[in-house]
């Protein structure tokens, strides 16, 4: 298999939705409960951790979180069009609860989140960031989940990810999956075969729609996102091939807040230990991406 760097989105790249009908909002709202009809798991505060929260964060009383709320089932807008929901949201809300801090979710374009963390606009960036060397240069990252790349095509279509030369493939702009396709296309042309037509979309929802309507022949994105998109299309799409290039997602925390990054790691570990972590992932059907040992700035 001809692969490039693993994970969700290229560093500081743009992003968008996997849910077919959701769109970006300029800003979100505080969200510790959602209106999606699913019970929201909660966690009890851990005073041994809460007491160690840095003074500036403790005095604020809340964590301001930057997120691209258009990437279901990780983070997306609920049916009210303003509340941010998803497994990332439930999980980090539980992290906040462990630290006895409220969470305020602010929707933003994906490429603005890490700079916003570095500048202090956001306390944390939570947007399914794959941990990679480029990101580790500019922020601390706390691992909490593992995802890989997955393909999908129209149900009943015959598509082989290892033989897509000359085909039209949908992908979200600025993701590592674009790099994946470019590498595959180069292999095609080097071998005397036609290049892949790489159809890039600002929103994952648009890429999904392109395959549903037959404009494009297949798509690829992060594994939980593709699985959710297949589910949302009610059988119009089907998964193709195996998940590959699995890598950890990480919370982005300022390089100036390494102490707090360590507390976030300990909070995630506590959620794993008390079972809240599993409950949240199972609620969203993404338990396959569970990890057992969160880490600050793990090697990637």
């Amino acid at each position: 298999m001809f692969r490039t760097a693993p994970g969700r989105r290229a560093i500081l790249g743009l992003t968008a939705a996997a849910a077919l009908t959701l769109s970006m909002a300029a800003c979100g709202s505080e969200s510790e409960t959602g209106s999606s009809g699913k019970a929201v798991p909660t966690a009890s505060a851990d005073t041994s951790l809460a007491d160690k929260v840095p003074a500036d964060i403790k005095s604020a009383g809340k964590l301001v979180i930057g997120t691209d709320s258009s990437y279901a089932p990780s983070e997306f807008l609920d049916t009210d069009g303003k509340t941010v929901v998803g497994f990332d949201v439930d999980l980090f809300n539980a992290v906040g609860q462990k630290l006895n801090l409220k969470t305020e979710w602010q929707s933003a374009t994906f490429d603005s989140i890490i700079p916003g963390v570095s500048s202090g606009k956001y306390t944390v960036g939570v947007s399914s960031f794959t941990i990679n060397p480029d990101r580790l240069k500019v922020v601390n990252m706390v691992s909490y989940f593992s995802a890989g790349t997955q393909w999908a095509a129209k149900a009943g279509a015959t598509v082989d990810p290892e033989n897509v030369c000359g085909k039209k493939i949908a992908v979200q702009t600025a993701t590592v999956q674009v790099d994946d396709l470019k590498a595959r296309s180069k292999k095609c042309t080097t071998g005397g075969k036609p290049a892949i037509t790489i159809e890039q979309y600002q929103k994952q929802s648009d890429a999904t729609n392109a395959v549903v309507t037959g404009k494009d022949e297949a798509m690829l994105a992060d594994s939980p996102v593709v699985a959710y998109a297949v589910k949302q299309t009610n059988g119009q799409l089907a998964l193709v091939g195996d998940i590959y290039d699995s890598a950890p997602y990480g919370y982005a925390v300022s390089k100036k807040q390494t102490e707090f990054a360590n507390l976030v790691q300990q909070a995630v570990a506590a959620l794993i230990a008390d079972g809240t972590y599993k409950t949240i992932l199972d609620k969203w059907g993404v338990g396959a991406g569970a990890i057992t040992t969160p880490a600050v700035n793990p090697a990637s």
Side-chain angles (χ1 to χ4, degrees), residues 111-146:
D111 61 346
S112 71
I113 297 171
I114 285 181
V117 170
S118 295
S119 71
K121 180 178 182 179
Y122 307 121
T123 322
V124 186
V126 181
S127 208
S128 299
F129 289 107
T130 298
I131 297 175
N132 63 32
D134 288 329
R135 291 184 177 127
L136 290 173
K137 291 176 183 177
V138 293
V139 289
N140 289 303
M141 301 201 78
V142 182
S143 61
Y144 67 92
F145 189 77
S146 181

PDB file of all heavy atoms in Angstrom, residues 111-146:
ATOM      1  N   ASP A 111      -7.923  25.576  10.585  1.00  0.00           N
ATOM      2  CA  ASP A 111      -6.564  26.108  10.509  1.00  0.00           C
ATOM      3  C   ASP A 111      -6.295  27.223  11.509  1.00  0.00           C
ATOM      4  O   ASP A 111      -5.153  27.626  11.703  1.00  0.00           O
ATOM      5  CB  ASP A 111      -6.233  26.572   9.089  1.00  0.00           C
ATOM      6  CG  ASP A 111      -7.150  27.672   8.596  1.00  0.00           C
ATOM      7  OD1 ASP A 111      -8.200  27.905   9.216  1.00  0.00           O
ATOM      8  OD2 ASP A 111      -6.816  28.298   7.573  1.00  0.00           O
ATOM      9  N   SER A 112      -7.341  27.736  12.171  1.00  0.00           N
ATOM     10  CA  SER A 112      -7.148  28.823  13.133  1.00  0.00           C
ATOM     11  C   SER A 112      -7.011  28.339  14.568  1.00  0.00           C
ATOM     12  O   SER A 112      -6.665  29.124  15.457  1.00  0.00           O
ATOM     13  CB  SER A 112      -8.329  29.800  13.052  1.00  0.00           C
ATOM     14  OG  SER A 112      -9.517  29.208  13.583  1.00  0.00           O
ATOM     15  N   ILE A 113      -7.258  27.057  14.808  1.00  0.00           N
ATOM     16  CA  ILE A 113      -7.352  26.581  16.195  1.00  0.00           C
ATOM     17  C   ILE A 113      -5.992  26.524  16.880  1.00  0.00           C
ATOM     18  O   ILE A 113      -5.813  27.065  17.983  1.00  0.00           O
ATOM     19  CB  ILE A 113      -8.051  25.213  16.250  1.00  0.00           C
ATOM     20  CG1 ILE A 113      -9.489  25.338  15.746  1.00  0.00           C
ATOM     21  CG2 ILE A 113      -8.051  24.677  17.687  1.00  0.00           C
ATOM     22  CD1 ILE A 113     -10.189  24.002  15.551  1.00  0.00           C
ATOM     23  N   ILE A 114      -5.024  25.870  16.273  1.00  0.00           N
ATOM     24  CA  ILE A 114      -3.715  25.771  16.920  1.00  0.00           C
ATOM     25  C   ILE A 114      -3.072  27.142  17.105  1.00  0.00           C
ATOM     26  O   ILE A 114      -2.536  27.423  18.187  1.00  0.00           O
ATOM     27  CB  ILE A 114      -2.808  24.778  16.166  1.00  0.00           C
ATOM     28  CG1 ILE A 114      -3.274  23.344  16.480  1.00  0.00           C
ATOM     29  CG2 ILE A 114      -1.335  24.963  16.540  1.00  0.00           C
ATOM     30  CD1 ILE A 114      -2.465  22.256  15.821  1.00  0.00           C
ATOM     31  N   PRO A 115      -3.103  28.034  16.099  1.00  0.00           N
ATOM     32  CA  PRO A 115      -2.617  29.394  16.369  1.00  0.00           C
ATOM     33  C   PRO A 115      -3.375  30.063  17.514  1.00  0.00           C
ATOM     34  O   PRO A 115      -2.792  30.812  18.297  1.00  0.00           O
ATOM     35  CB  PRO A 115      -2.861  30.124  15.043  1.00  0.00           C
ATOM     36  CG  PRO A 115      -2.794  29.054  14.013  1.00  0.00           C
ATOM     37  CD  PRO A 115      -3.438  27.856  14.674  1.00  0.00           C
ATOM     38  N   GLY A 116      -4.694  29.789  17.614  1.00  0.00           N
ATOM     39  CA  GLY A 116      -5.484  30.350  18.701  1.00  0.00           C
ATOM     40  C   GLY A 116      -5.063  29.822  20.059  1.00  0.00           C
ATOM     41  O   GLY A 116      -5.095  30.541  21.056  1.00  0.00           O
ATOM     42  N   VAL A 117      -4.660  28.549  20.110  1.00  0.00           N
ATOM     43  CA  VAL A 117      -4.139  27.977  21.354  1.00  0.00           C
ATOM     44  C   VAL A 117      -2.818  28.649  21.722  1.00  0.00           C
ATOM     45  O   VAL A 117      -2.591  29.030  22.881  1.00  0.00           O
ATOM     46  CB  VAL A 117      -3.953  26.453  21.224  1.00  0.00           C
ATOM     47  CG1 VAL A 117      -3.194  25.890  22.425  1.00  0.00           C
ATOM     48  CG2 VAL A 117      -5.307  25.757  21.085  1.00  0.00           C
ATOM     49  N   SER A 118      -1.956  28.815  20.741  1.00  0.00           N
ATOM     50  CA  SER A 118      -0.644  29.429  20.997  1.00  0.00           C
ATOM     51  C   SER A 118      -0.763  30.875  21.454  1.00  0.00           C
ATOM     52  O   SER A 118       0.029  31.346  22.276  1.00  0.00           O
ATOM     53  CB  SER A 118       0.217  29.353  19.728  1.00  0.00           C
ATOM     54  OG  SER A 118       0.507  28.006  19.403  1.00  0.00           O
ATOM     55  N   SER A 119      -1.767  31.586  20.916  1.00  0.00           N
ATOM     56  CA  SER A 119      -1.932  32.995  21.265  1.00  0.00           C
ATOM     57  C   SER A 119      -2.672  33.193  22.581  1.00  0.00           C
ATOM     58  O   SER A 119      -2.699  34.311  23.118  1.00  0.00           O
ATOM     59  CB  SER A 119      -2.697  33.717  20.151  1.00  0.00           C
ATOM     60  OG  SER A 119      -4.065  33.305  20.126  1.00  0.00           O
ATOM     61  N   GLY A 120      -3.298  32.143  23.086  1.00  0.00           N
ATOM     62  CA  GLY A 120      -4.060  32.251  24.317  1.00  0.00           C
ATOM     63  C   GLY A 120      -5.540  32.499  24.101  1.00  0.00           C
ATOM     64  O   GLY A 120      -6.307  32.625  25.067  1.00  0.00           O
ATOM     65  N   LYS A 121      -5.987  32.559  22.856  1.00  0.00           N
ATOM     66  CA  LYS A 121      -7.412  32.732  22.584  1.00  0.00           C
ATOM     67  C   LYS A 121      -8.198  31.537  23.108  1.00  0.00           C
ATOM     68  O   LYS A 121      -9.308  31.697  23.635  1.00  0.00           O
ATOM     69  CB  LYS A 121      -7.647  32.896  21.086  1.00  0.00           C
ATOM     70  CG  LYS A 121      -9.105  33.074  20.700  1.00  0.00           C
ATOM     71  CD  LYS A 121      -9.266  33.280  19.196  1.00  0.00           C
ATOM     72  CE  LYS A 121     -10.728  33.494  18.834  1.00  0.00           C
ATOM     73  NZ  LYS A 121     -10.905  33.716  17.374  1.00  0.00           N
ATOM     74  N   TYR A 122      -7.637  30.338  22.924  1.00  0.00           N
ATOM     75  CA  TYR A 122      -8.256  29.113  23.413  1.00  0.00           C
ATOM     76  C   TYR A 122      -7.355  28.486  24.467  1.00  0.00           C
ATOM     77  O   TYR A 122      -6.127  28.483  24.331  1.00  0.00           O
ATOM     78  CB  TYR A 122      -8.466  28.111  22.279  1.00  0.00           C
ATOM     79  CG  TYR A 122      -9.212  28.660  21.090  1.00  0.00           C
ATOM     80  CD1 TYR A 122      -8.631  28.659  19.823  1.00  0.00           C
ATOM     81  CD2 TYR A 122     -10.496  29.187  21.223  1.00  0.00           C
ATOM     82  CE1 TYR A 122      -9.301  29.168  18.718  1.00  0.00           C
ATOM     83  CE2 TYR A 122     -11.173  29.697  20.130  1.00  0.00           C
ATOM     84  CZ  TYR A 122     -10.573  29.687  18.880  1.00  0.00           C
ATOM     85  OH  TYR A 122     -11.232  30.197  17.797  1.00  0.00           O
ATOM     86  N   THR A 123      -7.965  27.932  25.502  1.00  0.00           N
ATOM     87  CA  THR A 123      -7.192  27.194  26.492  1.00  0.00           C
ATOM     88  C   THR A 123      -6.710  25.877  25.902  1.00  0.00           C
ATOM     89  O   THR A 123      -5.589  25.426  26.165  1.00  0.00           O
ATOM     90  CB  THR A 123      -8.043  26.888  27.742  1.00  0.00           C
ATOM     91  OG1 THR A 123      -8.880  27.984  28.040  1.00  0.00           O
ATOM     92  CG2 THR A 123      -7.144  26.565  28.925  1.00  0.00           C
ATOM     93  N   VAL A 124      -7.588  25.257  25.113  1.00  0.00           N
ATOM     94  CA  VAL A 124      -7.305  23.946  24.522  1.00  0.00           C
ATOM     95  C   VAL A 124      -7.910  23.902  23.115  1.00  0.00           C
ATOM     96  O   VAL A 124      -8.947  24.516  22.856  1.00  0.00           O
ATOM     97  CB  VAL A 124      -7.915  22.796  25.370  1.00  0.00           C
ATOM     98  CG1 VAL A 124      -7.495  21.432  24.821  1.00  0.00           C
ATOM     99  CG2 VAL A 124      -7.518  22.920  26.825  1.00  0.00           C
ATOM    100  N   GLY A 125      -7.266  23.173  22.236  1.00  0.00           N
ATOM    101  CA  GLY A 125      -7.828  22.875  20.932  1.00  0.00           C
ATOM    102  C   GLY A 125      -8.279  21.424  20.921  1.00  0.00           C
ATOM    103  O   GLY A 125      -7.473  20.525  21.202  1.00  0.00           O
ATOM    104  N   VAL A 126      -9.554  21.180  20.639  1.00  0.00           N
ATOM    105  CA  VAL A 126     -10.101  19.825  20.601  1.00  0.00           C
ATOM    106  C   VAL A 126     -10.808  19.670  19.266  1.00  0.00           C
ATOM    107  O   VAL A 126     -11.930  20.135  19.091  1.00  0.00           O
ATOM    108  CB  VAL A 126     -11.083  19.566  21.762  1.00  0.00           C
ATOM    109  CG1 VAL A 126     -11.601  18.128  21.698  1.00  0.00           C
ATOM    110  CG2 VAL A 126     -10.425  19.832  23.107  1.00  0.00           C
ATOM    111  N   SER A 127     -10.126  19.048  18.308  1.00  0.00           N
ATOM    112  CA  SER A 127     -10.710  18.958  16.975  1.00  0.00           C
ATOM    113  C   SER A 127     -10.139  17.782  16.196  1.00  0.00           C
ATOM    114  O   SER A 127      -9.802  17.904  15.027  1.00  0.00           O
ATOM    115  CB  SER A 127     -10.491  20.270  16.214  1.00  0.00           C
ATOM    116  OG  SER A 127     -11.498  20.496  15.258  1.00  0.00           O
ATOM    117  N   SER A 128     -10.033  16.644  16.863  1.00  0.00           N
ATOM    118  CA  SER A 128      -9.523  15.428  16.216  1.00  0.00           C
ATOM    119  C   SER A 128      -8.169  15.652  15.556  1.00  0.00           C
ATOM    120  O   SER A 128      -7.903  15.172  14.454  1.00  0.00           O
ATOM    121  CB  SER A 128     -10.535  14.907  15.179  1.00  0.00           C
ATOM    122  OG  SER A 128     -11.756  14.579  15.777  1.00  0.00           O
ATOM    123  N   PHE A 129      -7.307  16.380  16.243  1.00  0.00           N
ATOM    124  CA  PHE A 129      -5.966  16.617  15.718  1.00  0.00           C
ATOM    125  C   PHE A 129      -5.133  15.345  15.796  1.00  0.00           C
ATOM    126  O   PHE A 129      -4.942  14.778  16.874  1.00  0.00           O
ATOM    127  CB  PHE A 129      -5.240  17.696  16.534  1.00  0.00           C
ATOM    128  CG  PHE A 129      -5.771  19.086  16.346  1.00  0.00           C
ATOM    129  CD1 PHE A 129      -6.504  19.700  17.347  1.00  0.00           C
ATOM    130  CD2 PHE A 129      -5.523  19.790  15.182  1.00  0.00           C
ATOM    131  CE1 PHE A 129      -6.983  20.990  17.195  1.00  0.00           C
ATOM    132  CE2 PHE A 129      -5.992  21.085  15.012  1.00  0.00           C
ATOM    133  CZ  PHE A 129      -6.733  21.683  16.023  1.00  0.00           C
ATOM    134  N   THR A 130      -4.607  14.901  14.686  1.00  0.00           N
ATOM    135  CA  THR A 130      -3.631  13.818  14.721  1.00  0.00           C
ATOM    136  C   THR A 130      -2.316  14.366  15.255  1.00  0.00           C
ATOM    137  O   THR A 130      -1.869  15.446  14.854  1.00  0.00           O
ATOM    138  CB  THR A 130      -3.408  13.249  13.314  1.00  0.00           C
ATOM    139  OG1 THR A 130      -4.630  12.701  12.843  1.00  0.00           O
ATOM    140  CG2 THR A 130      -2.344  12.162  13.327  1.00  0.00           C
ATOM    141  N   ILE A 131      -1.714  13.646  16.162  1.00  0.00           N
ATOM    142  CA  ILE A 131      -0.422  14.062  16.702  1.00  0.00           C
ATOM    143  C   ILE A 131       0.654  13.788  15.655  1.00  0.00           C
ATOM    144  O   ILE A 131       0.792  12.667  15.172  1.00  0.00           O
ATOM    145  CB  ILE A 131      -0.104  13.316  18.006  1.00  0.00           C
ATOM    146  CG1 ILE A 131      -1.153  13.660  19.074  1.00  0.00           C
ATOM    147  CG2 ILE A 131       1.305  13.658  18.509  1.00  0.00           C
ATOM    148  CD1 ILE A 131      -1.009  12.894  20.371  1.00  0.00           C
ATOM    149  N   ASN A 132       1.390  14.826  15.290  1.00  0.00           N
ATOM    150  CA  ASN A 132       2.495  14.654  14.344  1.00  0.00           C
ATOM    151  C   ASN A 132       3.625  15.611  14.714  1.00  0.00           C
ATOM    152  O   ASN A 132       3.448  16.526  15.530  1.00  0.00           O
ATOM    153  CB  ASN A 132       2.018  14.848  12.896  1.00  0.00           C
ATOM    154  CG  ASN A 132       1.491  16.235  12.601  1.00  0.00           C
ATOM    155  OD1 ASN A 132       1.945  17.218  13.178  1.00  0.00           O
ATOM    156  ND2 ASN A 132       0.526  16.326  11.698  1.00  0.00           N
ATOM    157  N   PRO A 133       4.827  15.411  14.148  1.00  0.00           N
ATOM    158  CA  PRO A 133       5.974  16.230  14.533  1.00  0.00           C
ATOM    159  C   PRO A 133       5.766  17.722  14.318  1.00  0.00           C
ATOM    160  O   PRO A 133       6.245  18.544  15.121  1.00  0.00           O
ATOM    161  CB  PRO A 133       7.101  15.685  13.646  1.00  0.00           C
ATOM    162  CG  PRO A 133       6.717  14.272  13.379  1.00  0.00           C
ATOM    163  CD  PRO A 133       5.222  14.305  13.246  1.00  0.00           C
ATOM    164  N   ASP A 134       5.073  18.117  13.258  1.00  0.00           N
ATOM    165  CA  ASP A 134       4.863  19.538  12.987  1.00  0.00           C
ATOM    166  C   ASP A 134       4.047  20.188  14.097  1.00  0.00           C
ATOM    167  O   ASP A 134       4.351  21.293  14.547  1.00  0.00           O
ATOM    168  CB  ASP A 134       4.155  19.719  11.645  1.00  0.00           C
ATOM    169  CG  ASP A 134       5.066  19.401  10.472  1.00  0.00           C
ATOM    170  OD1 ASP A 134       6.284  19.616  10.592  1.00  0.00           O
ATOM    171  OD2 ASP A 134       4.562  18.929   9.442  1.00  0.00           O
ATOM    172  N   ARG A 135       2.992  19.513  14.522  1.00  0.00           N
ATOM    173  CA  ARG A 135       2.161  20.077  15.584  1.00  0.00           C
ATOM    174  C   ARG A 135       2.903  20.104  16.920  1.00  0.00           C
ATOM    175  O   ARG A 135       2.737  21.034  17.709  1.00  0.00           O
ATOM    176  CB  ARG A 135       0.852  19.287  15.698  1.00  0.00           C
ATOM    177  CG  ARG A 135      -0.041  19.491  14.492  1.00  0.00           C
ATOM    178  CD  ARG A 135      -1.387  18.798  14.620  1.00  0.00           C
ATOM    179  NE  ARG A 135      -2.199  19.113  13.456  1.00  0.00           N
ATOM    180  CZ  ARG A 135      -2.793  18.234  12.676  1.00  0.00           C
ATOM    181  NH1 ARG A 135      -2.708  16.952  12.942  1.00  0.00           N
ATOM    182  NH2 ARG A 135      -3.504  18.622  11.634  1.00  0.00           N
ATOM    183  N   LEU A 136       3.702  19.078  17.166  1.00  0.00           N
ATOM    184  CA  LEU A 136       4.434  19.015  18.427  1.00  0.00           C
ATOM    185  C   LEU A 136       5.467  20.128  18.550  1.00  0.00           C
ATOM    186  O   LEU A 136       5.913  20.442  19.654  1.00  0.00           O
ATOM    187  CB  LEU A 136       5.114  17.648  18.570  1.00  0.00           C
ATOM    188  CG  LEU A 136       4.165  16.468  18.813  1.00  0.00           C
ATOM    189  CD1 LEU A 136       4.934  15.150  18.765  1.00  0.00           C
ATOM    190  CD2 LEU A 136       3.428  16.608  20.138  1.00  0.00           C
ATOM    191  N   LYS A 137       5.834  20.743  17.441  1.00  0.00           N
ATOM    192  CA  LYS A 137       6.772  21.864  17.475  1.00  0.00           C
ATOM    193  C   LYS A 137       6.132  23.125  18.042  1.00  0.00           C
ATOM    194  O   LYS A 137       6.816  23.985  18.582  1.00  0.00           O
ATOM    195  CB  LYS A 137       7.296  22.153  16.070  1.00  0.00           C
ATOM    196  CG  LYS A 137       8.214  21.091  15.498  1.00  0.00           C
ATOM    197  CD  LYS A 137       8.601  21.434  14.069  1.00  0.00           C
ATOM    198  CE  LYS A 137       9.465  20.342  13.443  1.00  0.00           C
ATOM    199  NZ  LYS A 137       9.787  20.645  12.017  1.00  0.00           N
ATOM    200  N   VAL A 138       4.808  23.233  17.923  1.00  0.00           N
ATOM    201  CA  VAL A 138       4.157  24.493  18.284  1.00  0.00           C
ATOM    202  C   VAL A 138       3.205  24.402  19.476  1.00  0.00           C
ATOM    203  O   VAL A 138       2.884  25.412  20.094  1.00  0.00           O
ATOM    204  CB  VAL A 138       3.408  25.090  17.068  1.00  0.00           C
ATOM    205  CG1 VAL A 138       4.401  25.523  16.008  1.00  0.00           C
ATOM    206  CG2 VAL A 138       2.408  24.104  16.475  1.00  0.00           C
ATOM    207  N   VAL A 139       2.729  23.192  19.813  1.00  0.00           N
ATOM    208  CA  VAL A 139       1.853  23.023  20.973  1.00  0.00           C
ATOM    209  C   VAL A 139       2.197  21.722  21.689  1.00  0.00           C
ATOM    210  O   VAL A 139       2.818  20.824  21.115  1.00  0.00           O
ATOM    211  CB  VAL A 139       0.349  22.976  20.578  1.00  0.00           C
ATOM    212  CG1 VAL A 139      -0.131  24.341  20.133  1.00  0.00           C
ATOM    213  CG2 VAL A 139       0.090  21.912  19.526  1.00  0.00           C
ATOM    214  N   ASN A 140       1.787  21.632  22.954  1.00  0.00           N
ATOM    215  CA  ASN A 140       1.785  20.350  23.651  1.00  0.00           C
ATOM    216  C   ASN A 140       0.573  19.567  23.175  1.00  0.00           C
ATOM    217  O   ASN A 140      -0.479  20.147  22.887  1.00  0.00           O
ATOM    218  CB  ASN A 140       1.685  20.551  25.166  1.00  0.00           C
ATOM    219  CG  ASN A 140       2.947  21.122  25.769  1.00  0.00           C
ATOM    220  OD1 ASN A 140       4.023  20.555  25.623  1.00  0.00           O
ATOM    221  ND2 ASN A 140       2.824  22.261  26.451  1.00  0.00           N
ATOM    222  N   MET A 141       0.691  18.249  23.100  1.00  0.00           N
ATOM    223  CA  MET A 141      -0.432  17.427  22.680  1.00  0.00           C
ATOM    224  C   MET A 141      -0.608  16.250  23.635  1.00  0.00           C
ATOM    225  O   MET A 141       0.376  15.590  24.005  1.00  0.00           O
ATOM    226  CB  MET A 141      -0.251  16.938  21.245  1.00  0.00           C
ATOM    227  CG  MET A 141      -0.105  18.077  20.242  1.00  0.00           C
ATOM    228  SD  MET A 141      -0.502  17.599  18.535  1.00  0.00           S
ATOM    229  CE  MET A 141      -2.308  17.616  18.599  1.00  0.00           C
ATOM    230  N   VAL A 142      -1.859  16.020  24.013  1.00  0.00           N
ATOM    231  CA  VAL A 142      -2.185  14.941  24.945  1.00  0.00           C
ATOM    232  C   VAL A 142      -3.002  13.895  24.193  1.00  0.00           C
ATOM    233  O   VAL A 142      -4.108  14.171  23.729  1.00  0.00           O
ATOM    234  CB  VAL A 142      -3.002  15.462  26.142  1.00  0.00           C
ATOM    235  CG1 VAL A 142      -3.291  14.322  27.121  1.00  0.00           C
ATOM    236  CG2 VAL A 142      -2.269  16.613  26.834  1.00  0.00           C
ATOM    237  N   SER A 143      -2.481  12.692  24.065  1.00  0.00           N
ATOM    238  CA  SER A 143      -3.175  11.647  23.297  1.00  0.00           C
ATOM    239  C   SER A 143      -4.396  11.145  24.049  1.00  0.00           C
ATOM    240  O   SER A 143      -4.394  11.029  25.275  1.00  0.00           O
ATOM    241  CB  SER A 143      -2.225  10.485  22.995  1.00  0.00           C
ATOM    242  OG  SER A 143      -1.759   9.882  24.180  1.00  0.00           O
ATOM    243  N   TYR A 144      -5.472  10.819  23.278  1.00  0.00           N
ATOM    244  CA  TYR A 144      -6.698  10.328  23.906  1.00  0.00           C
ATOM    245  C   TYR A 144      -7.485   9.355  23.049  1.00  0.00           C
ATOM    246  O   TYR A 144      -8.477   8.776  23.509  1.00  0.00           O
ATOM    247  CB  TYR A 144      -7.605  11.508  24.284  1.00  0.00           C
ATOM    248  CG  TYR A 144      -8.153  12.267  23.096  1.00  0.00           C
ATOM    249  CD1 TYR A 144      -9.381  11.939  22.517  1.00  0.00           C
ATOM    250  CD2 TYR A 144      -7.439  13.329  22.541  1.00  0.00           C
ATOM    251  CE1 TYR A 144      -9.881  12.632  21.415  1.00  0.00           C
ATOM    252  CE2 TYR A 144      -7.931  14.030  21.440  1.00  0.00           C
ATOM    253  CZ  TYR A 144      -9.144  13.674  20.884  1.00  0.00           C
ATOM    254  OH  TYR A 144      -9.623  14.352  19.792  1.00  0.00           O
ATOM    255  N   PHE A 145      -7.080   9.128  21.799  1.00  0.00           N
ATOM    256  CA  PHE A 145      -7.865   8.309  20.878  1.00  0.00           C
ATOM    257  C   PHE A 145      -6.943   7.902  19.736  1.00  0.00           C
ATOM    258  O   PHE A 145      -5.890   8.502  19.519  1.00  0.00           O
ATOM    259  CB  PHE A 145      -9.060   9.119  20.341  1.00  0.00           C
ATOM    260  CG  PHE A 145     -10.069   8.337  19.537  1.00  0.00           C
ATOM    261  CD1 PHE A 145     -10.993   7.517  20.172  1.00  0.00           C
ATOM    262  CD2 PHE A 145     -10.104   8.428  18.158  1.00  0.00           C
ATOM    263  CE1 PHE A 145     -11.932   6.803  19.431  1.00  0.00           C
ATOM    264  CE2 PHE A 145     -11.031   7.726  17.411  1.00  0.00           C
ATOM    265  CZ  PHE A 145     -11.956   6.907  18.053  1.00  0.00           C
ATOM    266  N   SER A 146      -7.335   6.873  18.984  1.00  0.00           N
ATOM    267  CA  SER A 146      -6.556   6.441  17.830  1.00  0.00           C
ATOM    268  C   SER A 146      -7.473   6.273  16.629  1.00  0.00           C
ATOM    269  O   SER A 146      -8.545   5.662  16.732  1.00  0.00           O
ATOM    270  CB  SER A 146      -5.843   5.114  18.119  1.00  0.00           C
ATOM    271  OG  SER A 146      -5.074   4.701  17.003  1.00  0.00           O
TER     272      SER A 146
END
